[in-house]
């Protein structure tokens, strides 16, 4: 950078679409993509970029609840209400940024439905703005282009279009802030295809920045599958961890197992809520991360964990996986005891674990067995649990 002070740069994420083309029950930006909503992945890509100062999202207020759930915990400012068209939505977003204290030097306008945007492309668009008022991510057209003779349909080939110099425009589309605000105000009411077209109309130079094919827009269910595959193939460091735990019976009238309160003629002794199932699973995930054990993260000598809900321990292990950019692929818990009967609670236990981990219930298994009245569990002195977890981390 030629200047000492880095420019402020806000990413304006446009999530106002209703996704009619997708045909799902909710707009595509709120659908799950490899364990996280599409919008959250997009927002995180910009939030984690060192040259991006902040993120603001433009939404259809009808979907405010889905938005809040998707970006929970990210500390974003209030979303901006979108307009009737994408162009209106972007203008609303720009006006909100202009009205805020300290408008940014630069703005990156990005589609919420392009979750696979990479840090290098974001950086290249920002860097290009040092020398030009606009710069967009784009990929050169590689396929030969044909013009069909049919009216809208395919028909016979009427001609071959020279692809020399042709690019497919993506986002982010970056601009010096005051220039794009003026351009959008001047273009209000017109119907232009993207923000670069708005800038071009205002006479601003817009540079093409080579981007990646993976930065495609998730428009159809097939795109969601393609995006899932792309993410999963980047998470190729597959690891399995195991965990084991035992708690002794004591006086009481219920036990806590896999996050559920199960009536019984004894309780379980322990510093926390003595949930053997969640303790074993927490250790399995920590084991897969090679990140110590539950005792090293939550020492039993610490009074903070007296009577604690073990969901907190499991959530912590899941957060460590997320911090590493990974996902939990599967969890399998086996409860070992004569009594209480676990069978009637298995489905609810799996659901509770899936909820704590933030993964689909189809990725969680809870099983139960006895030891044929042998050993300490056979003598009904306590409950044991073992667990296996598989995680996928970025390679
Ligand atoms: Mg324990």
């Amino acid at each position: 950078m030629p200047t000492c002070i880095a420019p402020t740069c806000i990413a304006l994420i446009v999530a106002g679409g209703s996704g009619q083309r997708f045909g799902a029950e909710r707009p595509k930006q709120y659908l799950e993509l490899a364990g996280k909503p599409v919008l959250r992945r997009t927002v995180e890509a910009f939030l984690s970029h060192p040259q991006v100062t902040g993120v603001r999202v433009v939404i259809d207020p009808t979907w405010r609840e889905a938005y809040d759930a998707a970006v929970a915990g990210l500390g974003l400012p209030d979303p901006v209400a979108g307009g009737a068209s994408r162009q209106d939505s972007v203008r609303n977003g720009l006006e909100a940024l202009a009205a805020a204290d300290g408008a940014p030097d630069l703005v990156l306008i990005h589609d919420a439905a392009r979750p696979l945007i990479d840090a290098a492309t974001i950086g290249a668009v920002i860097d290009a703005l040092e020398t030009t008022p606009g710069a967009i991510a784009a990929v050169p057209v590689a396929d030969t282009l044909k013009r069909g003779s049919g009216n809208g349909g395919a028909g016979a080939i009427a001609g071959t279009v020279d692809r020399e110099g042709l690019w497919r425009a993506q986002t982010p589309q970056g601009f010096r802030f005051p220039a794009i605000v003026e351009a959008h105000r001047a273009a209000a009411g017109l119907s232009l295809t993207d923000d670069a077209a708005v800038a071009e109309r205002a006479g601003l130079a817009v540079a093409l920045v080579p981007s990646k094919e993976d930065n495609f827009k998730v428009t159809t269910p097939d795109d969601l599958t393609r995006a899932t595959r792309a993410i999963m193939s980047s998470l190729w460091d597959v690891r399995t961890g195991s965990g084991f735990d035992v708690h002794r019976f004591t006086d009481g009238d219920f036990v806590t197992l896999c996050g559920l309160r199960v009536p019984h003629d004894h309780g379980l002794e322990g510093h926390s809520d003595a949930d053997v199932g969640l303790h074993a699973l927490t250790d399995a995930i920590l084991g897969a991360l090679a990140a110590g054990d539950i005792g090293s993260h939550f020492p039993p000598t610490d009074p903070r964990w007296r009577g604690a809900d073990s969901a907190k321990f499991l959530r912590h292990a899941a957060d460590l996986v997320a911090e590493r950019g990974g996902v939990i692929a599967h969890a399998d818990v086996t409860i070992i005891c004569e009594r209480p009967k676990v069978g009637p609670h298995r489905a609810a236990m799996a659901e509770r674990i899936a909820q704590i981990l933030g993964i689909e219930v189809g990725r969680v298994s809870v099983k139960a067995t006895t030891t044929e009245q042998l050993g300490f569990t056979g003598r009904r002195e306590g409950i044991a649990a073992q667990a296996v977890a598989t995680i996928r981390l970025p390679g």
Side-chain angles (χ1 to χ4, degrees), residues 244-247 272 274-276 279-280 294:
F244 180 75
D245 194 32
V246 171
H247 281 263
S272 66
D275 189 330
V276 279
H279 292 183
I294 193 169

Side-chain angles (χ1 to χ4, degrees), residues 247-272:
H247 281 263
R248 176 195 297 275
F249 281 130
T250 183
D251 292 341
D253 57 7
F254 72 93
V255 295
T256 305
L257 278 181
C258 295
L260 292 195
R261 192 182 169 111
V262 177
H264 188 48
D265 55 13
H266 283 84
L268 285 174
E269 195 175 293
H271 188 70
S272 66

Side-chain angles (χ1 to χ4, degrees), residues 118-207:
D118 64 298
T121 302
I122 294 172
V125 170
I126 294 172
D127 290 346
L129 296 175
E130 281 178 34
T131 52
T132 176
I136 70 166
V139 287
V141 172
D143 298 322
T144 299
L145 297 177
K146 301 291 185 189
R147 179 168 285 117
S149 59
N151 195 4
I157 293 171
T160 298
V161 180
D162 183 8
R163 69 168 187 243
E164 183 64 30
L166 290 185
W167 294 65
R168 287 186 284 123
Q170 299 180 338
T171 68
Q173 302 199 340
F175 304 94
R176 293 179 189 161
F177 186 73
I180 194 66
V181 173
E182 281 314 311
H184 257 282
R185 283 174 184 160
L190 302 174
S191 181
L192 300 173
T193 51
D194 65 354
D195 303 294
V198 170
E200 292 159 42
R201 185 181 168 276
L204 300 173
V206 182

Side-chain angles (χ1 to χ4, degrees), residues 41 65 77 103 133 146 186 252 274 292 296 298 311:
R41 288 190 175 274
E65 249 177 70
K146 301 291 185 189
S296 58
F298 302 98

Side-chain angles (χ1 to χ4, degrees), residues 12-390:
L12 187 65
I13 310 293
V14 190
S18 59
Q20 285 140 341
R21 269 183 295 179
F22 200 95
E25 80 289 357
R26 53 175 54 202
K28 57 192 180 281
Q29 59 270 28
Y30 300 120
L31 296 176
E32 292 280 311
L33 168 56
K36 281 184 199 179
V38 169
L39 176 63
R40 188 179 187 90
R41 288 190 175 274
T42 305
V43 168
E44 284 179 346
F46 287 89
L47 272 185
S48 63
H49 198 282
Q51 288 168 274
V52 174
T53 322
V55 172
R56 196 87 188 258
V57 185
V58 184
I59 67 165
D60 173 350
T62 315
W63 293 96
R64 178 63 195 258
E65 249 177 70
Y67 167 82
D68 287 340
V71 302
L74 296 182
L76 295 188
D78 267 351
V80 181
S85 68
R86 183 185 186 281
Q87 195 179 323
D88 293 337
S89 293
V90 171
R91 199 178 59 254
N92 288 0
L94 293 172
E95 294 291 3
L97 295 180
D101 286 347
D105 300 317
L106 308 175
V107 63
L108 300 180
I109 301 164
H110 187 74
D111 298 326
R114 294 185 192 270
L116 300 184
I117 180 64
D118 64 298
T121 302
I122 294 172
V125 170
I126 294 172
D127 290 346
L129 296 175
E130 281 178 34
T131 52
T132 176
I136 70 166
V139 287
V141 172
D143 298 322
T144 299
L145 297 177
K146 301 291 185 189
R147 179 168 285 117
S149 59
N151 195 4
I157 293 171
T160 298
V161 180
D162 183 8
R163 69 168 187 243
E164 183 64 30
L166 290 185
W167 294 65
R168 287 186 284 123
Q170 299 180 338
T171 68
Q173 302 199 340
F175 304 94
R176 293 179 189 161
F177 186 73
I180 194 66
V181 173
E182 281 314 311
H184 257 282
R185 283 174 184 160
L190 302 174
S191 181
L192 300 173
T193 51
D194 65 354
D195 303 294
V198 170
E200 292 159 42
R201 185 181 168 276
L204 300 173
V206 182
L208 293 163
V209 172
S211 177
K212 300 192 171 62
E213 291 289 347
D214 265 356
N215 183 31
F216 62 89
K217 193 170 181 178
V218 175
T219 307
T220 66
D222 278 351
D223 295 334
L224 200 61
T225 304
R226 180 181 167 197
T228 305
R229 268 198 211 117
I231 291 169
M232 285 306 177
S233 68
S234 74
L235 301 178
W236 53 259
D237 186 1
V238 178
R239 294 155 170 231
T240 300
S242 76
F244 180 75
D245 194 32
V246 171
H247 281 263
R248 176 195 297 275
F249 281 130
T250 183
D251 292 341
D253 57 7
F254 72 93
V255 295
T256 305
L257 278 181
C258 295
L260 292 195
R261 192 182 169 111
V262 177
H264 188 48
D265 55 13
H266 283 84
L268 285 174
E269 195 175 293
H271 188 70
S272 66
D273 63 7
D275 189 330
V276 279
L278 294 195
H279 292 183
L281 182 54
T282 302
D283 261 351
I285 295 171
L286 293 174
L289 285 166
D293 61 20
I294 193 169
S296 58
H297 289 264
F298 302 98
T301 49
D302 189 331
R304 272 183 302 168
W305 314 124
R306 186 183 302 280
D309 177 354
S310 297
K312 198 173 289 178
F313 307 155
L314 184 59
R315 186 63 237 167
H316 173 72
D319 286 345
L320 291 178
V321 175
E323 276 168 28
R324 297 271 297 269
V327 297
I328 296 166
H330 123 282
D332 181 21
V333 181
T334 302
I335 310 282
I336 306 160
C337 61
E338 299 290 332
R339 286 286 186 278
K341 285 269 182 214
V342 173
H345 307 287
R346 275 172 50 179
M349 288 173 175
E351 263 171 47
R352 177 65 184 136
I353 289 172
Q355 186 188 35
I356 297 166
L357 294 178
I359 63 177
E360 304 137 57
V361 71
R363 295 182 177 277
V364 178
S365 154
V366 174
K367 312 195 299 300
T369 187
T370 71
T371 50
E372 297 290 339
Q373 298 174 31
L374 298 171
F376 70 88
T377 59
R379 293 189 298 270
R380 305 187 182 194
E381 293 167 2
I383 301 182
Q386 59 185 35
V388 173
T390 305

